[in-house]
């Protein structure tokens, strides 16, 4: 493993991380190839110790101020600061990172966690960040909009039973209650794309190391939220039929690496639930990844919406549990060679 950090390429503009732009692929490809030659960076296929960066939902919708579900943390600049550090980390460690696996939260307007899906007893849709409990569903406060049922071809009785089953399952399994999120990460929209600075860094890495990035779609099931990249919050419907699957392929891919570094948004939700699933292979047996997981604490932030929600404490408690389970909590500014097990 290369012992010294590489310099940051001159194209990287740390002040632009919070903005959106078109990545100049052709020019950047030439620069990345020349950079690899100048710094004797070998192809990823030559790596003796294989390291994967798992980048969770580093999309405009979460990472750019003013977008739909910007993750500012308590500082208000969380995701921008996180991505600034992460990009520097990628560039400094080009010769060490074998592969990048990027998850993409992927939604459509008519999904169970969006406002249009639900109605209250007076026929009003819930506001963003409303929390829907099983007791409220039981009492008839919330129901599925019949027009949505018609549009999706859902039997109204099934939709009624599913909403109750779903909210019960979330609370029974210790998950977050059904949260009504602002419309975000909509397929085909600019919010769905990787943040430009992150996309630029991943593309540069791909060319310099001659390695193909992997993209994992998540969150596209209509009747369940999917915080984790490994699978949805609820796997079955009210009659026991599957409504989503756990991604054994992604689990196997990650388990093939000697180390998996995790960063992304949000620490309290998609990062936390992804790591939780990675720590239990197939949802039950202890995962062989436990001692090979490295969580970049300074490259992730919790959901904080002033006046509406603050998940900072939940995120910190989750990371403490992960450390107890064997995952390593590390910082991007610490050389990889100083991390436990990677010296």
């Amino acid at each position: 493993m290369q012992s010294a950090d590489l310099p940051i390429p001159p194209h990287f503009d740390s002040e632009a991380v919070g903005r959106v732009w078109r990545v100049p692929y052709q020019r950047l490809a030439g620069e990345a190839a020349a950079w690899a030659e100048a710094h004797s960076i070998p192809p990823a296929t030559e790596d003796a110790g294989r390291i994967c960066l798992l980048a969770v939902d580093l999309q405009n919708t979460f990472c750019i101020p003013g977008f739909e579900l910007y993750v500012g943390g308590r500082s208000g600049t969380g995701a921008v600061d996180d991505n600034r550090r992460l990009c520097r980390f990628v560039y400094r460690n080009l010769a060490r990172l074998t592969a990048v696996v990027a998850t993409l939260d992927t939604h459509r307007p008519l999904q169970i966690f969006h406002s249009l899906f639900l109605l209250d007893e007076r026929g009003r849709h819930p506001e963003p960040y409303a929390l829907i409990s099983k007791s409220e569903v039981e009492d008839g406060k919330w129901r599925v909009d019949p027009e949505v049922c018609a549009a999706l071809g859902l039997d109204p009785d099934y939709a009624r039973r599913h909403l109750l089953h779903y909210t019960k399952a979330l609370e029974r399994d210790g998950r977050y209650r059904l949260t009504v999120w602002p419309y975000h990460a909509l397929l085909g929209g600019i919010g769905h794309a990787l943040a430009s600075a992150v996309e630029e860094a991943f593309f540069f890495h791909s060319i310099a190391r001659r390695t193909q990035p992997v993209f994992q779609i998540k969150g596209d099931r209509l009747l369940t939220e999917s915080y984790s990249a490994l699978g949805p919050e609820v796997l079955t419907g009210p009659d026991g039929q599957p409504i989503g699957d756990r991604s054994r392929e992604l689990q196997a891919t990650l388990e093939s690496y000697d180390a998996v570094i995790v960063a992304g948004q949000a620490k309290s939700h998609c990062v936390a639930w992804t790591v939780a699933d990675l720590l239990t292979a197939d949802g039950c047996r202890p995962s062989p990844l436990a001692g090979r997981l490295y969580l970049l604490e300074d490259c992730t932030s919790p959901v904080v919406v002033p006046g509406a929600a603050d998940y900072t404490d939940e995120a910190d408690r989750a990371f403490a549990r992960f450390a107890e389970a064997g995952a390593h909590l590390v910082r991007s500014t610490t050389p990889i060679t100083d991390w436990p097990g990677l010296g």
Side-chain angles (χ1 to χ4, degrees):
M1 183 180 292
Q2 183 171 331
S3 59
D5 286 353
L6 293 168
I8 305 297
H11 72 264
F12 176 62
D13 181 359
S14 65
E15 297 305 311
V17 171
R19 301 200 294 269
V20 176
W21 68 87
R22 180 186 66 81
V23 174
Y25 301 120
Q26 202 61 43
R27 174 176 63 77
L28 200 62
E31 293 177 6
W35 192 259
E37 182 176 1
H39 294 279
S40 301
I41 300 173
T45 53
E46 297 181 11
D47 288 356
R50 300 174 69 249
I51 299 177
C52 173
L53 171 63
L54 176 59
V56 178
D57 299 359
L58 292 175
Q59 298 158 270
N60 289 327
T61 199
F62 303 114
C63 296
I64 303 300
F67 271 69
E68 304 88 3
L69 200 48
Y70 173 61
V71 182
R74 286 180 176 171
S75 70
T77 59
V80 172
D81 295 337
D82 297 335
N83 283 349
R84 186 176 291 116
R85 287 185 285 263
L86 181 64
C87 288
R88 288 178 176 142
F89 175 83
V90 170
Y91 290 128
R92 289 198 311 268
N93 293 285
L94 280 175
R96 300 183 180 115
L97 297 176
T98 308
V100 172
V101 174
T103 73
L104 296 172
D105 211 28
T106 303
H107 300 319
R108 299 172 190 265
L110 305 185
Q111 290 190 260
I112 196 169
F113 44 80
H114 280 154
S115 179
L116 192 63
F117 205 91
L118 301 170
L119 290 175
D120 67 11
E121 64 269 29
R122 296 175 63 183
R124 300 172 302 187
H125 297 292
E127 294 295 321
Y129 306 108
L131 298 176
I132 311 298
S133 69
K134 68 177 180 63
S135 62
E136 291 173 327
V137 176
E138 287 172 329
D139 293 342
K141 179 176 180 179
W142 297 110
R143 59 190 172 93
V144 180
D145 186 333
E147 295 298 331
V148 168
C149 291
L152 297 177
L154 287 175
D155 175 74
D157 181 65
Y158 175 84
R160 177 189 60 78
R161 292 188 298 112
H162 178 79
L163 182 60
L164 180 57
H165 161 80
Y166 186 74
T167 52
K168 282 183 175 179
L170 290 176
E171 296 185 29
R172 180 196 66 217
D173 296 339
R175 303 276 180 167
Y176 291 130
R177 279 190 288 169
L178 172 57
T179 304
V180 178
W181 296 109
Y183 297 103
H184 68 286
L186 294 181
L187 184 61
I190 192 173
H192 186 258
L194 287 176
S196 298
V198 171
E199 182 193 9
E200 188 175 70
F202 291 173
F203 179 76
F204 195 89
H205 171 268
S206 178
I207 300 299
R209 299 303 316 275
R210 303 293 196 271
T211 182
Q212 193 84 293
V214 174
F215 292 94
Q216 175 77 20
I217 296 295
K218 57 182 279 289
D220 56 345
R221 300 292 181 142
L222 300 181
L223 297 178
T224 178
E225 177 66 274
S226 296
Y227 296 134
S228 170
L230 275 295
E233 293 291 278
V234 177
L235 291 168
T236 60
D239 302 321
Q241 75 280 22
I243 59 173
D245 299 313
R246 187 177 173 92
S247 179
R248 292 181 174 83
E249 181 180 357
L250 178 58
Q251 181 89 31
T253 295
L254 296 174
E255 288 182 4
S256 72
Y257 289 93
D258 298 295
V260 175
I261 302 169
V262 184
Q265 303 304 336
K267 180 181 180 180
S268 51
H269 287 74
C270 296
V271 171
W273 291 116
T274 295
V275 174
D277 279 354
L278 287 174
L279 287 169
T280 54
D282 296 325
C284 51
R285 64 183 173 88
S287 170
L289 271 177
R292 289 186 267 151
L293 278 178
Y294 296 82
L295 312 184
L296 285 176
E297 285 194 288
D298 58 343
C299 295
T300 183
S301 293
V303 170
V304 177
V305 182
D310 186 336
Y311 288 90
T312 303
D313 293 339
E314 288 89 341
D316 290 344
R317 285 194 292 269
F319 267 49
R321 291 196 302 272
F322 302 152
E324 291 175 1
H328 305 282
L329 306 187
V330 294
R331 300 186 70 80
S332 65
T333 51
T334 302
I336 285 181
T337 49
D338 291 341
W339 292 2
L342 293 180

